[in-house]
């Protein structure tokens, strides 16, 4: 037989409204009464109706996690999203919240999904896992004053957005500096995206490191088209590059395979460094030298900042920077030792 609030109230010797207030942690109920009611609930095996409780609180008890359009195999298989979602889930449980995922293959459909979740009050707020210059979703969230936090750096509305990020420009500089310290002077920057903010920031960092070292900067190598893969061998011959900074681990693995297909040994002929320190960095030899961006902390703090916003503890335009760490492995050759 289903145990009801009335059953709990009768056994505890209190009114049903008192049990409801205990479930909702109402400040008018004493700690003694709360302990008494919770003890009866446990003895009777009563589980509160979370949906009903949240309806009374005008809260859904859930947060929406928005992924970028999964329009490529690299994005669909990128472990970054699974790792950060797990971190967000873990932190959400501490706040008695659940998570709902918003995803699509295009920005148009993604926006429709987010609008539906917001209008139907399926979630109390959102965590955005990307920053894209062509993104209509963040515009919708800002214009409609929807509570959200951003993992990344916004293109606009910096004074209105609460965001958690690494210093991606510093990451790009740090990666390039490491190659320079190992004797490399002719260095490329390779990417498979040219519209996300991490591309601009990390490429700016590459440019800064090369400029400070007095070395020649190359235009970023855009690998978004099939033609670029065909032209890559000729590019390596023309530039005589000995190393590359690659936008992230999963794409770095593809670039290592491509270089090896054209007869370049990694790291003997061509060194590679990338970002994220994901599971891909130690799947196959040579193990990938990568910068750890602390994905777990990004997710945790993104969730905490959203909760602060929901509880009106967080002013707008707040940025939290998560530290990074370079993990040296096998894909960078020290030319000074030659």
């Amino acid at each position: 037989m289903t145990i009801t609030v009335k059953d709990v109230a009768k056994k505890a010797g209190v009114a049903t409204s008192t049990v409801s207030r205990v479930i909702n942690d109402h400040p008018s109920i004493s700690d003694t009464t709360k302990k008494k009611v919770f003890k009866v609930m446990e003895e009777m095996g009563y589980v509160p109706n979370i949906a009903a409780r949240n309806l009374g609180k005008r809260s859904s008890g859930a947060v929406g996690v928005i992924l970028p359009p999964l329009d490529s195999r690299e994005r669909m298989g990128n472990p970054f999203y699974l790792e950060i979602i797990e971190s967000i889930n873990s932190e959400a449980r501490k706040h008695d919240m659940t998570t709902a995922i918003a995803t699509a293959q295009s920005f148009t459909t993604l926006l429709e999904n987010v609008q539906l979740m917001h209008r139907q009050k399926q979630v109390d707020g959102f965590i955005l896992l990307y920053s894209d210059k062509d993104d209509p979703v963040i515009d919708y969230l800002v214009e409609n004053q929807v509570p959200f936090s951003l993992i990344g750096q916004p293109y606009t509305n910096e004074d209105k957005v609460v965001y958690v990020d690494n210093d991606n420009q510093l990451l790009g500089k740090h990666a390039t500096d490491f190659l320079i310290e190992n004797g490399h002077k002719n260095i490329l920057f390779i990417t498979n995206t040219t519209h996300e903010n991490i591309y601009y920031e990390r490429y700016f960092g590459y440019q800064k490191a090369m400029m400070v070292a007095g070395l020649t900067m190359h235009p970023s190598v855009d690998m978004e088209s099939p033609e670029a893969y065909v032209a890559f061998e000729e590019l390596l011959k023309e530039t005589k590059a000995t190393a590359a900074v690659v936008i992230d681990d999963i794409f770095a693995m593809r670039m290592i395979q491509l270089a090896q297909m054209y007869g370049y040994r990694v790291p003997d002929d061509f060194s590679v460094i990338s970002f994220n320190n994901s599971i891909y960095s130690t799947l196959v030899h040579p193990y990938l030298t990568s910068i750890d961006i602390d994905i777990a902390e990004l997710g945790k703090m993104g969730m905490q900042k959203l909760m602060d916003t929901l509880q009106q503890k967080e002013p707008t335009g707040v940025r939290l920077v998560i530290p990074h760490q370079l993990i040296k492995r096998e894909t960078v050759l020290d030319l000074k030792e030659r």
Side-chain angles (χ1 to χ4, degrees), residues 78-209:
N78 196 329
F80 170 85
Y81 300 116
L82 288 177
E83 290 182 47
I84 201 165
I85 288 171
E86 170 53 33
S87 176
I88 291 169
N89 275 330
S90 179
E91 187 63 24
R93 286 193 293 269
K94 297 178 185 177
H95 299 277
D96 295 321
M97 301 286 279
T98 59
T99 55
I101 305 299
T103 184
Q105 290 189 332
S106 70
F107 277 122
T108 301
T109 307
L110 184 61
L111 177 60
E112 291 172 356
N113 291 344
V114 170
Q115 288 172 330
L116 186 65
M117 294 171 74
H118 172 231
R119 290 168 181 166
Q120 292 186 348
K121 302 188 186 305
Q122 297 176 24
V123 297
D124 297 327
F126 293 92
I127 301 175
L128 198 60
L129 298 188
Y130 65 92
S131 180
D132 193 296
K133 69 178 181 180
D134 300 318
D135 180 26
V137 174
I138 194 169
D139 293 335
Y140 173 82
L141 297 176
V142 172
E143 289 168 7
N144 290 274
Q145 299 183 322
V146 181
F148 78 97
S149 63
L150 169 68
I151 308 295
Q153 184 174 335
Y155 278 86
T156 59
N157 297 302
E158 291 92 343
D159 59 330
K160 299 176 183 177
V161 177
V162 175
Y163 60 105
V164 179
D165 198 10
N166 306 107
D167 187 334
N168 279 295
Q169 189 170 145
L170 183 59
L171 261 69
K173 183 178 184 299
H174 193 175
T176 311
D177 283 340
F178 182 72
L179 294 175
I180 294 170
E181 289 164 8
N182 280 274
H184 296 273
K185 297 180 179 180
N186 202 348
I187 303 167
L188 301 175
F189 185 94
I190 306 176
T191 183
N192 63 341
T193 176
T194 55
H195 48 85
E196 293 184 59
N197 218 333
I198 59 166
Y199 156 68
Y200 290 104
E201 292 297 314
R202 290 175 183 176
Y203 182 52
F204 289 158
Y206 156 85
Q207 291 177 309
K208 184 175 181 179

Side-chain angles (χ1 to χ4, degrees), residues 72 74-75 77-79 189-193 221-225 228-229 232 245-259 272-276 278 280 288:
S72 67
E74 279 84 5
R75 270 188 167 170
N78 196 329
F189 185 94
I190 306 176
T191 183
N192 63 341
T193 176
V221 181
D222 176 7
M223 301 293 293
E224 293 181 286
S225 68
Y229 287 81
F232 188 67
V245 178
V246 183
I247 194 69
D248 66 26
D249 288 347
I250 188 170
F251 193 62
M253 297 298 293
R254 174 166 287 197
M255 296 315 300
I256 288 173
Q257 291 175 341
L258 186 63
V272 174
I273 186 171
S274 65
F275 308 90
N276 292 7
S278 69
Y280 287 100
L288 189 59

Side-chain angles (χ1 to χ4, degrees), residues 1 3 5 18 23 26 34 52 56 65 82 101 105 126 132 136 146 153 167 178 264-266 268 296 317-318 334:
M1 187 174 70
I3 306 299
V5 172
T18 299
I23 293 171
H26 198 281
K34 287 178 181 177
V65 180
L82 288 177
I101 305 299
Q105 290 189 332
F126 293 92
D132 193 296
V146 181
Q153 184 174 335
D167 187 334
F178 182 72
Y264 290 81
R265 296 170 300 165
V266 176
D268 301 75
V318 172
D334 189 346

